[in-house]
Amino acid sequence: MRLPLAIASFVVLIVHGVVFYEQFFHRWERHQTAYFEQARSMAQNPAEKAALEARSPQIEQVIVTNFGDTRVDRCTTCHLAADDPRFANMGSPLKTHSYSAAMGDVFRNGHWERRHKFSDFGCTVCHDGQGRGLDNFHSHGEDEFWPDPLLGYVTQTTWRKDFAPHLKGEEYMEANCAQCHTQEDFAGTPTVNRGRKLFYAMNCYGCHKIDGMSEGTLGPDLTEAGKRFKVDYLWESVVEPRAIWRPASCPSSICPRRMCARW
Amino acid sequence: MSIQTPEKSAAPAGVWSALKELPSNVWSSVFRNPVPSTDLERASTSFTNFFLHIHPVKVNRNTLRPGYTLGLGLISLFLFFILVATGILLMFYYVPSTNQAYDRMLDLRGTVAFGIFLRNMHRWSAHGMVAMVFLHMCRVFLTGSYKKPREFNWVIGVLLLLVTLFLSFTGYLLPWDQLAFWAITVGTSIAGYAPLIGKQMQFVLLGDTTVGQEALLRFYVLHVAVLPAVLVTLVGVHFWRIRKDGGLSRPEEAPKLKAAPVVVKTRIYGLQGFVRGPFTKVGNTPEDSVFSWPNLLMAELFVFVLTVSLILVVSLMFNAPLEQPVNVMHPPNPAKAPWYFLGLQEMVSYSAFWGGIGIPGIMVALLLVVPYIDRGTQGVGRWFARERLLANTLFLTLVTLNIIFIIIGTFFRGPNWSFVSPF
Amino acid sequence: MAVAGKKEDNNLPRRRMLAWLSSVGLFGSAVLAAVSDLVFFKPRVTYSPSARFSIGKPDDFPPGTRISRDVDRVCIVREGNRLAAISTTCTHLGCIVSIADTGFSCPCHGSRYDQDGTVTGGPAPKPLPWFKVTLAPNGEIEVDKNTTIEPGTYFTV
């Protein structure tokens, strides 16, 4: 019995060691040290260099409660350079978040000023994804059980392969802009505006109800459908409604694919 | 189907008689021995019953003298039972969330059946237990009952005192009202004054830099799970040691009985013939010992009934406090720690380190080490024995000083911790 | 199961070696587990606002003003072109100090501080710490409560 005990004791020691080790040396720490090194080389005075030298990797988070819930967004743990204008030409994840007039940013006195400050908005309210995650798979929402993958960037493995190419694109994010910017014909959400017009032009309103827009009862209520369903399901409902619900009276040719692709 | 056999008529009759005898069979399978009516049966209760085998077969008469122990240890234990029972019941309605805790306290007070009563019982038993374990410690010291062979049990007792204080402290935060929040803010700031590791300790204790949701959750887990488990374990050891150290302390017997640990009777019952050391039988001759059943049991039951009645009456008459909901922007002026820490807070107002860490640390260290410093064997088992005048005087001085500080902190300190008159 | 009473129970060196190996394995695991517990209990994130935060642009703080931000527990002082961030957590027992004519005063136990946070009265044992102020790459002022600086060191905007 002594030999099996000795072997088992060593196995348990090694397993303990592995478990312990796995809790350190995360990938986000490597991203952060890369940022520190790069920023040090860009430093303009010794005080700045010294400050960067003193910094060690730590989890960065923004806690946002302005939108009625508690969001904890840890995206800047890897995307540490998001608000550092000097990293505009770097590769992801250490790339400055883009500025644009369409997002309300203003170019003043030689530099951009961000309208939607990260400390006020966080990241997920516009981008979706899983704020609390600290590794790619979870934080980008690639996990099939996460209801809000990174909108316009990520497709989940359970989605139909033939849909995937259509579900990427920055214009998808306008859906999240429209959460707050609800006015019709808001300049920053042209795709949403066109969508609203299509809703009437293609007669969807006849069967579907959307609060404040229509009262149709034949089809399901589509109020806030964007919040309730993932984008692949919504795509399929428009392009192949019969795939979900055979008796759907929504004709399968209501929106031929070439039309949707064009719009 | 059934084959006709000669036993056909006997089988149903067997079942029927089994059913008729069921009540007495069930009873005798649970209670294997009759209610004692002979000495042998009284003795065997301590071997045959799971709960009663915590008792020795016989106890010294001195143990049962109310004027000797005042039943303080028992009262503390029974208060703990009340705390566990009421605490578990309260857990069915309390939520340890900064958003919900206070509202749940309001519901416990307003709508939950017996809620206000259970909470009162919990609160007053908690204060009572802190006071009683302190008095129990005084009794044990003043009767010299920490001396050999009871040194380690005294140490366990000091640890139990600390766990009790910590239990009360962690529970104090849970109502999440102004009283709770600021008392714990003040109390945990004191922890931050420890040299080198103070700030780290405070951070781990609170789970954050200030008292908030993390502190509430950590204190809740400590209060309902970790500390009760530790306490129960230590209480188990504490009782075990009482048995193995020869029962409660008592005045010295005539010298002849202090001779070698010999077997008093001719028959040896199991291990007792081979065990060395303070023998439960030493000093427990038939003249000065009585059976645990029923004497010790009745004494314990009496203390239990007394304790429960007192708590019930106090809970009927006085309501536990619930002040305004937490407002982190408005510290009350003054912000006072729970009463058992007010002596500390008074000292802290003179010197943060010495009052909060230094002196309490020294006092605890002294308490822990006293049985190993004071090795005299005289004066055990009697209150205020003259042989122990020095030790008792020192102890009482420190105790009185602490009580004075607590009184000052409670009644004589007002806004900005300035002196005020309570009259 | 191997029975102890075999011909190998005279092989004491082997036994000792195995006992030593088992002890190392088990004791080492216990130590690792204990250290893991300590690591576990120290939180890696807290849900309170970050210790390093932006307070806005320099223009948000006109010269000659002292603005107290209670949520962040810091008072921003601007004199001319220089900025300072002074903690408003009383060094006595953690209450929030209020701005007074002569500096700061604490409602809990009567501690008093002057304009720079030096103790002028009451039980406070230490002066109010000054926090590091830096300019973030995006042009905003950042206060870092994890780093204290020598009182009197201003940040020049």
Side-chain angles (χ1 to χ4, degrees):
Chain A
M1 211 48 219
R2 289 189 175 81
L3 183 59
L5 177 61
I7 293 173
S9 308
F10 253 89
V11 167
V12 102
L13 176 64
I14 290 168
V15 171
H16 269 82
V18 169
V19 168
F20 189 77
Y21 181 84
E22 284 217 321
Q23 289 303 311
F24 300 93
F25 311 118
H26 301 112
R27 192 145 151 221
W28 58 262
E29 296 181 54
R30 292 205 285 282
H31 289 312
Q32 290 206 357
T33 32
Y35 172 79
F36 298 147
E37 276 167 26
Q38 185 66 30
R40 254 206 315 273
S41 69
M42 296 174 169
Q44 306 207 310
N45 54 59
E48 215 185 304
K49 258 206 180 71
L52 280 161
E53 217 129 295
R55 269 176 83 172
S56 57
Q58 69 170 55
I59 298 175
E60 304 280 335
Q61 61 180 24
V62 181
I63 302 181
V64 178
T65 47
N66 302 335
F67 304 109
D69 54 4
T70 305
R71 287 167 181 268
V72 180
D73 288 346
R74 300 189 172 121
C75 321
T76 43
T77 306
C78 286
H79 297 278
L80 198 53
D83 225 359
D84 189 337
R86 304 171 297 182
F87 282 71
N89 297 322
M90 303 292 173
S92 199
L94 294 176
K95 191 176 160 67
T96 317
H97 190 288
S98 54
Y99 299 94
S100 80
M103 289 195 294
D105 302 329
V106 171
F107 193 78
R108 202 186 347 236
N109 296 335
H111 57 257
W112 280 100
E113 285 174 16
R114 208 181 284 286
R115 170 68 183 81
H116 298 81
K117 286 201 180 47
F118 300 145
S119 50
D120 297 328
F121 287 82
C123 317
T124 58
V125 73
C126 299
H127 283 281
D128 289 344
Q130 184 184 93
R132 288 180 189 251
L134 272 181
D135 63 278
N136 266 15
F137 179 72
H138 292 109
S139 51
H140 293 180
E142 288 162 32
D143 175 16
E144 71 192 76
F145 297 107
W146 184 250
D148 300 311
L150 226 47
L151 197 51
Y153 289 92
V154 160
T155 57
Q156 293 180 344
T157 49
T158 48
W159 295 2
R160 274 170 61 167
K161 298 286 178 285
D162 47 334
F163 290 165
H166 300 283
L167 299 177
K168 291 197 176 167
E170 286 189 5
E171 64 272 14
Y172 275 100
M173 283 186 46
E174 290 183 28
N176 281 339
C177 305
Q179 284 178 112
C180 294
H181 299 282
T182 52
Q183 326 81 295
E184 293 196 18
D185 299 323
F186 178 67
T189 58
T191 317
V192 173
N193 302 338
R194 248 181 279 141
R196 279 201 196 94
K197 294 197 174 65
L198 264 180
F199 183 71
Y200 290 112
M202 304 297 291
N203 296 327
C204 313
Y205 70 94
C207 298
H208 291 285
K209 174 181 156 88
I210 293 186
D211 256 355
M213 287 179 75
S214 64
E215 295 296 324
T217 52
L218 206 56
D221 187 335
L222 294 182
T223 312
E224 302 210 323
K227 269 209 178 69
R228 291 186 279 136
F229 303 110
K230 289 189 198 175
V231 91
D232 72 319
Y233 182 79
L234 292 169
W235 180 267
E236 192 180 48
S237 312
V238 174
V239 161
E240 266 184 46
R242 297 272 170 91
I244 300 159
W245 179 234
R246 273 265 120 188
S249 45
C250 194
S252 57
S253 62
I254 196 75
C255 187
R257 291 197 197 201
R258 52 174 176 78
M259 269 192 79
C260 284
R262 199 198 332 146
W263 282 111
Chain B
M1 297 308 183
S2 64
I3 297 169
Q4 304 286 336
T5 65
E7 285 83 22
K8 190 184 85 161
S9 56
V15 170
W16 176 241
S17 70
L19 279 173
K20 274 197 296 190
E21 289 161 19
L22 188 97
S24 79
N25 282 343
V26 168
W27 183 268
S28 59
S29 76
V30 177
F31 301 104
R32 294 165 299 149
N33 305 291
V35 176
S37 50
T38 68
D39 271 1
L40 180 60
E41 285 168 0
R42 287 187 196 100
S44 70
T45 61
S46 298
F47 292 95
T48 58
N49 182 291
F50 174 72
F51 300 100
L52 293 179
H53 95 290
I54 200 176
H55 290 156
V57 169
K58 285 187 143 194
V59 290
N60 190 285
R61 282 179 193 281
N62 195 60
T63 304
L64 297 182
R65 266 201 313 128
Y68 181 58
T69 62
L70 303 174
L72 291 167
L74 273 180
I75 297 177
S76 309
L77 179 71
F78 294 140
L79 284 174
F80 180 61
F81 287 165
I82 295 174
L83 282 166
V84 169
T86 53
I88 290 177
L89 292 175
L90 289 168
M91 277 174 77
F92 278 97
Y93 286 97
Y94 173 80
V95 175
S97 146
T98 53
N99 296 337
Q100 299 192 56
Y102 187 80
D103 292 337
R104 292 302 184 124
M105 298 301 294
L106 294 177
D107 286 347
L108 275 165
R109 185 171 71 182
T111 63
V112 173
F114 303 103
I116 188 173
F117 190 62
L118 286 171
R119 198 224 155 180
N120 288 348
M121 281 178 71
H122 198 77
R123 184 80 169 205
W124 303 132
S125 301
H127 287 317
M129 187 176 169
V130 171
M132 288 299 123
V133 302
F134 182 75
L135 290 175
H136 172 66
M137 175 178 75
C138 292
R139 190 287 286 171
V140 172
F141 191 98
L142 295 172
T143 56
S145 307
Y146 55 81
K147 303 210 184 235
K148 190 176 160 82
R150 296 180 176 86
E151 307 101 312
F152 185 58
N153 213 17
W154 166 268
V155 168
I156 299 273
V158 174
L159 294 178
L160 279 168
L161 172 68
L162 296 174
V163 174
T164 305
L165 285 173
F166 203 23
L167 263 169
S168 192
F169 188 63
T170 48
Y172 210 82
L173 180 65
L174 303 186
W176 203 250
D177 63 349
Q178 284 285 76
L179 178 69
F181 182 84
W182 293 104
I184 267 53
T185 299
V186 160
T188 50
S189 304
I190 297 178
Y193 278 114
L196 288 176
I197 53 165
K199 283 290 165 211
Q200 292 285 329
M201 256 180 22
Q202 195 186 5
F203 185 65
V204 171
L205 182 64
L206 295 181
D208 203 334
T209 47
T210 53
V211 175
Q213 175 64 66
E214 296 310 301
L216 183 58
L217 185 59
R218 289 186 177 216
F219 275 37
Y220 181 71
V221 173
L222 284 171
H223 186 74
V224 309
V226 177
L227 292 173
V230 171
L231 192 95
V232 165
T233 310
L234 286 177
V235 165
V237 178
H238 200 60
F239 286 175
W240 174 264
R241 286 303 303 242
I242 293 175
R243 292 289 306 271
K244 296 305 161 187
D245 295 338
L248 294 199
S249 64
R250 46 194 172 269
E252 283 148 17
E253 310 296 334
K256 64 174 164 60
L257 283 170
K258 281 174 57 183
V262 294
V263 179
V264 188
K265 297 215 161 98
T266 51
R267 279 195 62 181
I268 295 172
Y269 294 94
L271 283 173
Q272 292 187 1
F274 302 96
V275 171
R276 294 211 225 179
F279 218 161
T280 54
K281 291 244 184 294
V282 172
N284 268 347
T285 61
E287 297 88 56
D288 43 37
S289 63
V290 294
F291 278 108
S292 294
W293 176 287
N295 305 291
L296 178 57
L297 199 61
M298 284 208 305
E300 289 172 344
L301 196 58
F302 176 65
V303 172
F304 179 66
V305 170
L306 212 63
T307 310
V308 168
S309 315
L310 197 62
I311 290 295
L312 285 175
V313 166
V314 167
S315 303
L316 274 170
M317 290 173 56
F318 302 103
N319 283 333
L322 189 65
E323 299 188 356
Q324 315 93 305
V326 169
N327 184 343
V328 297
M329 298 298 163
H330 283 149
N333 196 358
K336 292 194 179 178
W339 65 269
Y340 39 86
F341 283 152
L342 267 179
L344 265 171
Q345 192 175 357
E346 174 66 24
M347 288 197 289
V348 163
S349 70
Y350 304 128
S351 160
F353 171 73
W354 284 108
I357 311 273
I359 294 184
I362 291 174
M363 291 204 317
V364 170
L366 278 176
L367 278 176
L368 285 170
V369 96
V370 79
Y372 301 100
I373 304 282
D374 178 8
R375 300 304 286 178
T377 52
Q378 306 299 316
V380 177
R382 285 176 289 128
W383 281 84
F384 303 116
R386 296 223 95 218
E387 301 94 317
R388 296 189 54 250
L389 188 61
L390 178 63
N392 285 345
T393 313
L394 283 172
F395 181 77
L396 280 176
T397 313
L398 288 174
V399 163
T400 315
L401 273 174
N402 196 19
I403 294 179
I404 289 178
F405 276 130
I406 291 179
I407 291 176
I408 295 179
T410 312
F411 298 109
F412 289 85
R413 289 292 189 184
N416 297 322
W417 209 251
S418 53
F419 271 113
V420 292
S421 163
F423 309 108
Chain C
M1 286 294 137
V3 173
K6 285 197 138 201
K7 60 182 185 288
E8 267 140 33
D9 62 6
N10 286 330
N11 194 347
L12 278 175
R14 177 168 178 268
R15 264 209 211 166
R16 284 214 188 91
M17 158 75 129
L18 288 177
W20 182 86
L21 279 176
S22 306
S23 314
V24 163
L26 292 173
F27 185 70
S29 308
V31 165
L32 261 178
V35 175
S36 306
D37 276 333
L38 291 173
V39 171
F40 167 77
F41 278 117
K42 186 156 174 227
R44 288 176 166 183
V45 288
T46 62
Y47 301 98
S48 42
S50 168
R52 208 171 67 242
F53 52 91
S54 156
I55 53 172
K57 294 240 160 347
D59 297 332
D60 297 337
F61 301 94
T65 55
R66 314 187 114 227
I67 299 175
S68 189
R69 297 165 62 104
D70 271 351
V71 176
D72 303 320
R73 290 185 174 236
V74 75
C75 175
I76 310 296
V77 174
R78 174 143 180 195
E79 290 173 12
N81 251 358
R82 310 184 309 158
L83 271 177
I86 307 181
S87 164
T88 51
T89 302
C90 184
T91 55
H92 181 228
L93 285 176
C95 299
I96 303 177
V97 304
S98 357
I99 297 186
D101 298 327
T102 47
F104 304 92
S105 84
C106 181
C108 286
H109 306 99
S111 297
R112 294 212 138 40
Y113 307 84
D114 69 3
Q115 304 269 30
D116 289 339
T118 322
V119 181
T120 55
K126 292 188 282 233
L128 293 172
W130 288 41
F131 296 127
K132 191 149 192 260
V133 178
T134 46
L135 191 65
N138 60 5
E140 298 187 346
I141 305 284
E142 259 190 14
V143 173
D144 183 2
K145 287 173 71 173
N146 280 335
T147 316
T148 51
I149 55 179
E150 191 67 34
T153 353
Y154 286 85
F155 175 77
T156 311
V157 163

